[in-house]
């Protein structure tokens, strides 16, 4: 059996799950060169919420982060991840914007591209896959996983075949809500494997129910090629299985994993240091929650909703809203609960409960979804509410991006001239206020306080765990003494 390969998600999805997407470039740089030596298949860097938060809150140019990190990480491919034609925001963009984005990603040092469509409408991936391949990027096409009567193994096998026909280099199963179980892994992975032939198959799942590590073990047994994992301080909870745990158990199962264990230990020590310095949480193993399989809402969204409801004195209605979200999703044809549809379903559920009348208010995004402007729903929308949502309008049949006029000429005229195509793209994605603030904050700050040496950090951890007050290590010519207060 081929060696198991690992994609590291610490620099993107892990801190998106645990640190509200607030890891800066400066926090990444001190460990970047060592990460490059560990032997990962690739390192996930930017995409989805990370791109958005960088611009809106961190005031860091995502393209600049690509350049900075690719100048340090040279051996291991860096990944930029996007959602089909919506790229990094909730809006859908015309083909000219999608094509230029793929070109500029490659021009800024990126060699690996992961993408998916939130509705698994493979038509929405035609342009980004073609453009990414033309730019020389390695392309892994994703299947957004969910539970419903229509999202069967046969459904995913059919969608995987459509990805193969697009010319992707690999296929990955994206379980953003942590819904996979070991039992489903045993049937899903063989079905997708048969559909894609010799192409590499990857698994990306989250630990919301605590089952993801077991799913990884089952996938290893079935011969999965690549697993997505996070270094232990940023693993578990709503994040991913821990790299060290997966590697250790894969080897016990007889799968070779060519990663540098000492490098993983240094990486873990460094991110524990960053977490302590920044006051960020470490990942904790989640308890099994069967209710999660009903509403399927990601943990971070539930936490945010609980806080928002508490400010209105409505926190006691959280379970009612989650139950309504499950009902809304069923009526809307079982959209996968990932961005942006997780937000759309939740918004409709909140309105239905708080207003006391179901579908009294219908957001424009729900109307556009029902009319096909984001792609084809997996199942028909409940006819009892379809007319109320659409007002009797006929859904579109075309690929959504084909209906959007070119955007680049208009943005050049309205907001140009631009020094670079990267600035042009940023102005396509964001308002003038947001880009003005971003441009004023340049360049990205790259200085970060040095962490203690790995040896000192390791010894201090041993002292803390053992309950000793002090430890002494002697070698010819030197002596190291450390205590809890050192």
């Amino acid at each position: 059996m081929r060696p198991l390969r690992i994609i590291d998600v610490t620099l993107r999805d892990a801190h998106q799950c645990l640190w509200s997407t607030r890891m800066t470039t400066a926090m990444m740089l001190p460990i970047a060169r060592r990460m490059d030596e560990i032997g990962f298949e690739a390192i996930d860097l930017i995409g989805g919420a990370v791109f958005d938060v960088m611009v809106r809150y961190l005031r860091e140019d995502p393209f600049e982060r690509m350049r900075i990190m690719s100048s340090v990480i040279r051996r291991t491919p860096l990944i930029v991840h996007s959602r089909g034609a919506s790229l990094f925001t909730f809006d859908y963009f015309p083909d000219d914007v999608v094509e230029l984005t793929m070109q500029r990603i490659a021009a800024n040092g990126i060699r690996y591209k992961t993408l998916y469509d939130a509705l698994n409408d493979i038509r929405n991936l035609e342009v980004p896959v073609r453009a990414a391949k033309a730019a020389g990027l390695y392309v892994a096409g994703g299947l957004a996983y969910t539970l419903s009567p229509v999202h069967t193994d046969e459904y995913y096998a059919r969608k995987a075949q459509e990805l193969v026909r697009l010319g992707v280099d690999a296929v990955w199963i994206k379980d953003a809500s942590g819904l996979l179980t070991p039992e489903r892994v045993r049937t899903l992975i063989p079905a997708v494997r048969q559909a894609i032939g010799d192409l590499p198959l990857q698994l990306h799942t989250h630990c919301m129910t605590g089952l993801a590590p077991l799913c990884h073990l089952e996938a290893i047994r079935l011969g999965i090629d690549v697993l997505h994992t996070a270094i232990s301080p940023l693993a578990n909870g709503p994040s991913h299985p821990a790299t060290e745990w997966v590697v250790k158990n894969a080897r016990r199962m007889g799968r070779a994993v060519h990663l540098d264990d000492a490098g993983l230990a240094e990486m873990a020590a460094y991110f524990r240091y960053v977490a302590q310095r920044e006051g960020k949480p470490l990942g904790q193993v989640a308890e099994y929650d069967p209710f999660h399989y009903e509403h399927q809402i990601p943990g971070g969204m539930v936490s945010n909703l609980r806080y928002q409801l508490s400010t209105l004195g409505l926190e006691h209605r959280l379970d009612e809203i989650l139950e309504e979200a499950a009902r809304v999703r069923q009526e809307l044809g079982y959209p996968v609960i990932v961005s942006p549809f997780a937000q759309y379903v939740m918004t409709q559920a909140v309105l239905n409960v708080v207003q006391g009348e179901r579908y009294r208010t219908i957001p424009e995004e729900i109307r556009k979804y029902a009319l096909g402007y984001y792609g084809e729903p997996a199942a028909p929308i409940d006819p009892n509410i379809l007319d109320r949502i659409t007002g009797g309008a006929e859904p579109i049949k075309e690929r959504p991006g084909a209906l959007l006029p070119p955007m680049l000429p208009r943005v050049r005229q309205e907001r140009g001239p631009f020094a670079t195509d990267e600035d042009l793209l940023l102005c396509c994605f964001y308002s003038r206020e947001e880009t003005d603030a971003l441009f004023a904050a340049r360049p990205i700050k790259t200085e970060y306080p040095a962490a203690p040496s790995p040896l000192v950090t390791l010894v201090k951890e041993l002292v803390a765990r053992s309950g000793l007050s002090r430890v002494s290590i002697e070698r010819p010519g030197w002596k190291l003494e450390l205590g809890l207060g050192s």
Side-chain angles (χ1 to χ4, degrees):
M1 195 174 288
R2 291 174 291 190
L4 176 68
R5 304 195 300 276
I6 300 292
I7 285 178
D8 176 74
V9 300
T10 307
L11 303 187
R12 187 190 71 82
D13 210 357
H15 74 91
Q16 178 176 323
C17 295
L18 292 175
W19 292 2
S20 302
T21 327
R22 294 307 194 268
M23 188 184 293
T24 65
T25 305
M27 295 177 197
M28 302 174 182
L29 274 172
I31 197 64
R33 199 174 304 278
R34 190 68 179 99
M35 290 177 66
D36 194 25
E37 300 168 345
I38 289 174
F40 295 119
E41 157 89 357
I43 296 172
D44 202 0
L45 180 67
I46 288 175
V50 170
F51 195 104
D52 208 46
V53 168
M54 286 184 69
V55 173
R56 297 178 188 272
Y57 302 104
L58 299 181
R59 302 304 186 198
E60 291 191 0
D61 181 345
F63 294 104
E64 187 181 358
R65 180 178 289 184
M66 295 178 206
R67 293 192 295 272
I68 291 171
M69 296 300 289
S70 63
S71 71
V72 177
I73 298 177
R74 299 173 178 268
R75 179 189 310 174
T76 310
L78 292 171
I79 296 175
V80 167
H81 169 68
S82 61
R83 293 186 288 261
S86 65
L87 297 171
F88 311 110
T89 74
F90 288 179
D91 295 324
Y92 274 48
F93 292 96
D95 295 348
D96 60 343
V97 174
V98 174
E99 290 168 348
L100 183 61
T101 299
M102 301 303 147
Q103 294 167 17
R104 299 322 298 168
I105 286 172
N108 282 276
I110 301 303
R111 291 183 278 150
Y112 205 119
K113 185 80 188 67
T114 58
L115 41 73
Y116 75 104
D117 178 68
L119 292 177
N120 288 317
D121 187 336
I122 306 303
R123 297 175 304 167
N124 288 332
L125 299 180
E126 292 173 2
V127 173
V129 168
R130 183 179 67 241
K133 294 287 290 182
L137 296 167
Y138 182 96
V139 179
L143 301 169
Y145 177 76
T146 191
L147 291 173
S148 84
V150 297
H151 290 89
T152 62
D153 292 347
E154 292 73 21
Y155 166 92
Y156 282 109
R158 184 174 70 253
K159 294 295 181 178
Q161 290 172 338
E162 293 178 30
L163 285 174
V164 173
R165 286 194 287 271
L166 285 188
V168 299
D169 299 296
V171 172
W172 59 300
I173 298 168
K174 177 183 173 63
D175 179 21
S177 292
L179 298 169
L180 273 172
T181 64
E183 292 78 14
R184 184 65 187 275
V185 168
R186 292 185 196 118
T187 63
L188 178 63
I189 286 183
V192 175
R193 168 69 74 195
Q194 184 175 5
I196 68 175
D198 292 333
L199 285 186
L201 179 59
Q202 306 178 6
L203 177 60
H204 172 109
T205 185
H206 291 250
C207 299
M208 265 86 82
T209 65
L211 295 183
L214 301 180
C215 292
H216 269 18
L217 294 187
E218 195 62 36
I220 291 168
R221 188 184 67 80
L222 292 166
I224 196 81
D225 297 293
V226 182
L227 291 175
H228 296 204
T229 66
I231 201 67
S232 52
L234 280 92
N236 294 306
S239 185
H240 301 257
T243 304
E244 303 97 311
W245 186 92
V246 170
V247 169
K248 175 182 68 177
N249 284 287
R251 289 170 178 161
R252 285 176 173 168
M253 296 170 68
R255 287 292 295 273
V257 187
H258 300 316
L259 293 186
D260 177 0
D261 293 345
L264 291 175
E266 289 182 39
M267 184 178 167
Y270 174 76
F271 281 110
R272 276 191 290 271
Y273 157 74
V274 174
Q276 182 180 31
R277 187 178 187 280
E278 301 293 331
K280 302 295 186 185
L282 299 177
Q284 302 291 327
V285 175
E287 294 182 346
Y288 180 72
D289 178 14
F291 185 33
H292 180 70
Y293 288 92
E294 296 180 35
H295 61 75
Q296 304 188 18
I297 303 296
M301 280 191 65
V302 174
S303 298
N304 290 336
L305 177 62
R306 180 181 287 108
Y307 171 76
Q308 292 164 355
L309 291 174
S310 68
T311 64
L312 301 172
L314 296 172
E315 185 176 3
H316 62 286
R317 305 193 73 178
L318 176 62
D319 282 355
E320 184 183 355
I321 290 171
L322 292 176
E323 290 168 358
E324 176 65 12
R327 184 179 176 187
V328 168
R329 176 175 178 262
Q330 177 179 352
E331 292 167 338
L332 293 180
Y334 299 103
V336 183
I337 301 299
V338 294
S339 296
F341 301 108
Q343 289 81 359
Y344 298 165
V345 168
M346 181 61 80
T347 299
Q348 186 67 69
V350 170
L351 290 170
N352 288 357
V353 170
V354 173
Q355 293 184 337
E357 178 184 344
R358 304 187 76 242
Y359 298 101
R360 174 182 171 184
T361 300
I362 299 171
E364 177 64 14
E365 290 82 3
I366 294 290
R367 189 186 73 83
K368 289 174 65 177
Y369 162 79
L371 289 172
Y373 285 96
Y374 298 123
E376 183 181 14
I381 295 173
D382 188 331
N384 293 319
I385 65 165
L386 179 60
D387 190 64
R388 185 167 186 175
I389 293 174
T390 64
E394 284 294 318
I396 67 168
K397 301 299 182 184
E398 299 92 340
R399 174 177 66 88
L403 301 176
L404 300 174
M407 187 178 188
L408 296 177
R410 174 174 60 80
V411 176
R412 282 193 179 101
Q413 181 178 6
E414 294 176 356
R415 297 180 58 182
F418 297 101
T420 65
D421 282 341
E422 288 79 358
D423 286 356
L424 166 61
L425 287 170
L426 289 167
C427 289
C428 291
F429 302 148
Y430 298 101
S431 68
R432 186 183 300 274
E433 180 182 10
E434 288 165 333
T435 55
D436 284 350
L438 175 68
F439 298 157
R442 286 171 169 166
I444 287 177
K445 296 177 177 62
T446 57
E447 296 298 321
Y448 197 74
S453 72
L455 176 61
V456 171
T457 301
L458 177 60
V459 172
K460 291 180 76 171
E461 284 193 11
L462 291 174
V463 170
R465 291 179 182 179
S466 67
L468 298 173
S469 60
R470 197 162 193 83
V471 69
S472 175
I473 301 175
E474 294 188 40
R475 291 290 185 272
W478 61 269
K479 179 178 181 179
L480 174 65
E481 290 192 2
L482 286 172
L484 290 175
S486 299

